[in-house]
Amino acid sequence: MAIALAIASGKGGVGKTTVSVNLALALAQAGKRVVLLDADFGMANSHVLLGINPKLNIANYLDGSALVSDLIIEAPYNLKFIAGGTAVNDILNTQEKDRYKVIRGMQDLSNETDILVVDCAAGGADSTLDFVSASDQVLIVLEGEPTSMMDAYSLIKILNQEKGVKKFSIFINKASSELEAKQNFEVFSKNLVHKFLDARAYYAGFLPMSKVLKQAVIMKKPVMIHNRKSKEGIAFQKLAGVILKAPRNDKKGICFFE
Ligand SMILES: Nc1ncnc2c1ncn2[C@@H]1O[C@H](COP(=O)(O)OP(=O)(O)O)[C@@H](O)[C@H]1O
Ligand SMILES: [Mg+2]
């Protein structure tokens, strides 16, 4: 059965797209049938990391000029990629009906998909709230500094209180060590999520600050394609293993997959 994993964060620039692209590739390398949807509409840039120049994107589906099947771009390891469009396409602020149309469009892929990875817009954008609540799992990416933690907590609080999302996998990016990442997770889960909300946070792993990742973006060559055996590549493979076993949310309302 197909499942959906939303990748979200409190603030921008913390590594959602880096994690989405490389995790999607790691899951594909593990033999899963993966679709990566760039749902950071209007500010989409997953295609840049993948080194792809999409001719069509979600805006073409929303304006009725393309079907979802027309949007699918074949990426390495059988990964299927759907581009999100840029502000030029005038889809920065989607309407509710557009977001539901996107969710329904993905439903059509359920028979040929094991995992849909959704790279969401930063913060509590309406699209992010809808796409997370339409997903089976959510991975929150954060950096272990106070502003990133507070913004991530604010997002979790909105998702929990407005959408009833209860289980959150947490990935700590740009940590200086595994010990620091785990300490940051402990503080975040104990002092915020578990203290104030009827929600659970689960540690999903960490990445160090990395020149290899920075370089991968500049070269448009994802680590999971060109440098799989690096420590960053191994971290994404580990994350893929964690995600395959991570707790899932009970879904209400409109979902990517029933
Ligand atoms: N672990 C890391 N080490 C170094 N640079 C990173 C790391 N993770 C992400 N980056 C860089 O940070 C910037 C923002 O990352 P990105 O994935 O685009 O974030 P987001 O999608 O959350 O806005 C990019 O330039 C990316 O290369
Ligand atoms: Mg991004």
Side-chain angles (χ1 to χ4, degrees), residues 67-84:
L67 302 171
V68 165
S69 54
D70 300 329
L71 305 183
I72 292 175
I73 298 168
E74 298 288 341
Y77 307 103
N78 262 333
L79 171 66
K80 295 186 164 56
F81 173 65
I82 298 176

Side-chain angles (χ1 to χ4, degrees), residues 107-162:
Q107 285 169 352
D108 294 342
L109 303 177
S110 66
N111 290 335
E112 62 213 68
T113 304
D114 295 317
I115 304 186
L116 170 70
V117 176
V118 186
D119 181 10
C120 295
D126 289 338
S127 64
T128 301
L129 303 187
D130 283 348
F131 294 151
V132 171
S133 48
S135 295
D136 302 82
Q137 298 180 19
V138 54
L139 179 66
I140 304 286
V141 180
L142 60 86
E143 289 174 30
E145 40 96 21
T147 51
S148 171
M149 288 214 217
M150 277 320 294
D151 290 347
Y153 173 67
S154 302
L155 173 64
I156 288 177
K157 186 175 172 186
I158 300 172
L159 284 165
N160 180 242
Q161 298 188 337
E162 288 186 18

Side-chain angles (χ1 to χ4, degrees), residues 1 6 9 41 114 145 161 181 211 217 245:
M1 230 188 54
S9 71
F41 301 145
D114 295 317
E145 40 96 21
Q161 298 188 337
K211 278 201 192 112
V217 177
K245 293 194 207 122

Side-chain angles (χ1 to χ4, degrees), residues 13 15-18 38 40 43 45-46 119-120:
K16 277 182 308 303
T17 299
T18 304
D38 190 342
D40 191 356
M43 309 273 264
N45 59 6
S46 298
D119 181 10
C120 295

Side-chain angles (χ1 to χ4, degrees), residues 12-18 45 173-174 207-210 213-214 217:
V14 297
K16 277 182 308 303
T17 299
T18 304
N45 59 6
N173 196 10
K174 304 182 190 176
L207 267 176
M209 191 63 156
S210 153
L213 283 173
K214 201 93 225 159
V217 177

Side-chain angles (χ1 to χ4, degrees), residues 140 142-144 170-175 181 184-185 203 205-207:
I140 304 286
L142 60 86
E143 289 174 30
I170 308 291
F171 190 79
I172 312 284
N173 196 10
K174 304 182 190 176
N184 282 323
F185 171 77
Y203 181 72
F206 85 105
L207 267 176

